[in-house]
Amino acid sequence: MELRHLKYFLAIAEAGQITAAAKKSKMAQPPLSQQLMQLEEELGVKLVHRGPRSLHLTEAGIILQNRAKQILELTDATTREINDVAMGTKGTLTIGTVSSSGAALMKDRLSEFHKNYAGVKFEIHEGNTFMILDLLNKGIVEVGIVRTPFNTTDLGCRYAASEPMVAVMTQEHDWKPDQKTITLSELKNRPLIVYRRFEQLIHDTCMKHGFEPNLFCKNDDARTTLHWANEGLGIGMISQSALSLGSNSQLIVKEIMCEELHTRVAAVWLKDKYMSSLASRFIESFSQASDERTCDS
């Protein structure tokens, strides 16, 4: 079994049909079909159920699909490690970052890092904290920029400063125009727009303060929270650094005076996995003024 066979099989598994997989793999359909049959013969099992218009993976096919992804990701990571040794401070740094605050937080840090290591290129993957941690575990990114709370098992961290959550609203929702800070209890019965990532944290904290929050809208991106709040649909609750992610010219911002809602952004990596010199240098530059510690300490 060769790596190319695994690549062909993954293309077939993802496309669900030989024709689409052949097009994606830039090869003719008959040779790709032959590759699949040869792989099945070599392994001694059927990998797909063949239908008139599509293919479906057998149980053995699902196992091979999962293993093939891991093998190819490991191969790619190994290649990067070898290239890292050869290239020193040149090469490509793969970073996963949360959309809620990654852009705002990383702006100055990346600019400074780029000045010091001008030969480095970047590959950025964006998503929520859970997606970034998944990419990290799969070896697709070397460094993750995520936001607390998250599962810290087997991770090393450097934390940025703690930041409060803020309430954002248009004038019609502002019950105390002269007040720049509010207590959490003042949000009782008000229509709240929240980033789904914080739903449990907000719900549990509100319950501790004696009320169930009115979660009018739950979404998957802090920018959506800003947009809905900007349209006057409710009161958005976001981390303070996320304010720069969208237009907020019409929004009134009030800091929520509640320590339980404070969160921190962290640079994370797998402690027991090879880390390139580029990733190590980036982590060093990430938190020169931050609290460094392993996540489980």
Side-chain angles (χ1 to χ4, degrees):
M1 187 188 305
E2 299 179 16
L3 290 176
R4 62 187 177 92
H5 295 149
L6 297 179
K7 291 179 180 179
Y8 293 151
F9 176 73
L10 280 182
I12 294 170
E14 291 169 1
Q17 57 176 215
I18 297 290
T19 303
K23 184 176 180 180
K24 181 179 179 180
S25 302
K26 298 181 180 179
M27 64 186 299
Q29 182 177 337
L32 186 58
S33 297
Q34 187 65 30
Q35 292 283 354
L36 177 58
M37 288 187 289
Q38 288 177 359
L39 189 57
E40 289 179 319
E41 290 176 5
E42 180 180 347
L43 295 173
V45 294
K46 286 291 184 182
L47 297 172
V48 299
H49 294 297
R50 292 165 172 80
R53 294 187 178 181
S54 62
L55 302 174
H56 302 281
L57 296 181
T58 63
E59 184 177 354
I62 293 173
I63 293 173
L64 181 60
Q65 182 186 34
N66 293 333
R67 294 301 187 193
K69 287 180 180 178
Q70 293 172 356
I71 291 169
L72 292 174
E73 287 165 359
L74 181 59
T75 300
D76 183 57
T78 302
T79 301
R80 291 201 306 266
E81 290 173 18
I82 294 172
N83 288 338
D84 182 53
V85 173
M87 299 181 70
T89 57
K90 295 183 179 179
T92 301
L93 178 59
T94 55
I95 301 173
T97 176
V98 290
S99 57
S100 65
S101 60
L105 180 75
M106 292 174 65
K107 181 180 177 182
D108 293 337
R109 301 180 195 279
L110 275 177
S111 297
E112 185 64 27
F113 184 82
H114 179 61
K115 290 178 183 178
N116 295 329
Y117 304 101
V120 175
K121 296 180 180 179
F122 297 91
E123 185 176 325
I124 305 298
H125 296 259
E126 293 181 296
N128 61 39
T129 290
F130 303 117
M131 292 171 61
I132 299 306
L133 292 177
D134 184 54
L135 293 175
L136 191 66
N137 282 311
K138 289 179 177 177
I140 296 174
V141 300
E142 280 197 279
V143 180
I145 307 298
V146 297
R147 181 176 289 280
T148 59
F150 55 88
N151 187 340
T152 60
T153 304
D154 298 326
L155 295 177
C157 293
R158 285 194 175 181
Y159 289 99
S162 176
E163 61 178 295
M165 197 167 286
V166 296
V168 293
M169 66 203 78
T170 52
Q171 187 173 2
E172 62 191 277
H173 288 286
D174 187 4
W175 64 98
K176 288 185 177 179
D178 59 342
Q179 189 171 304
K180 293 185 178 180
T181 63
I182 59 172
T183 64
L184 182 62
S185 298
E186 290 181 77
L187 295 176
K188 182 178 180 179
N189 297 326
R190 301 186 187 279
L192 303 179
I193 305 165
V194 302
Y195 178 34
R196 189 173 282 105
R197 172 76 175 87
F198 295 142
E199 177 186 354
Q200 195 66 49
L201 174 64
I202 290 171
H203 177 272
D204 292 349
T205 305
C206 288
M207 293 299 289
K208 288 180 181 178
H209 284 253
F211 70 97
E212 184 167 354
N214 175 17
L215 301 182
F216 165 67
C217 173
K218 295 177 284 187
N219 59 74
D220 292 310
D221 197 313
R223 288 167 290 198
T224 302
T225 297
L226 285 169
H227 178 70
W228 278 54
N230 208 46
E231 292 297 320
L233 297 172
I235 298 172
M237 293 180 68
I238 59 172
S239 55
Q240 190 174 55
S241 63
L243 283 170
S244 63
L245 293 175
S247 173
N248 53 28
S249 58
Q250 298 185 58
L251 292 177
I252 297 164
V253 181
K254 297 179 184 290
E255 181 179 339
I256 303 171
M257 305 302 290
C258 180
E259 286 287 341
E260 297 104 312
L261 292 181
H262 281 216
T263 61
R264 294 198 290 178
V265 167
V268 297
W269 64 94
L270 296 178
K271 289 193 294 184
D272 298 324
K273 189 173 182 179
Y274 171 85
M275 180 183 292
S276 70
S277 60
L278 292 181
S280 296
R281 288 182 172 92
F282 175 75
I283 289 171
E284 288 173 6
S285 69
F286 175 84
S287 58
Q288 293 176 350
S290 301
D291 175 24
E292 178 188 358
R293 62 183 177 90
T294 55
C295 291
D296 56 357
S297 62

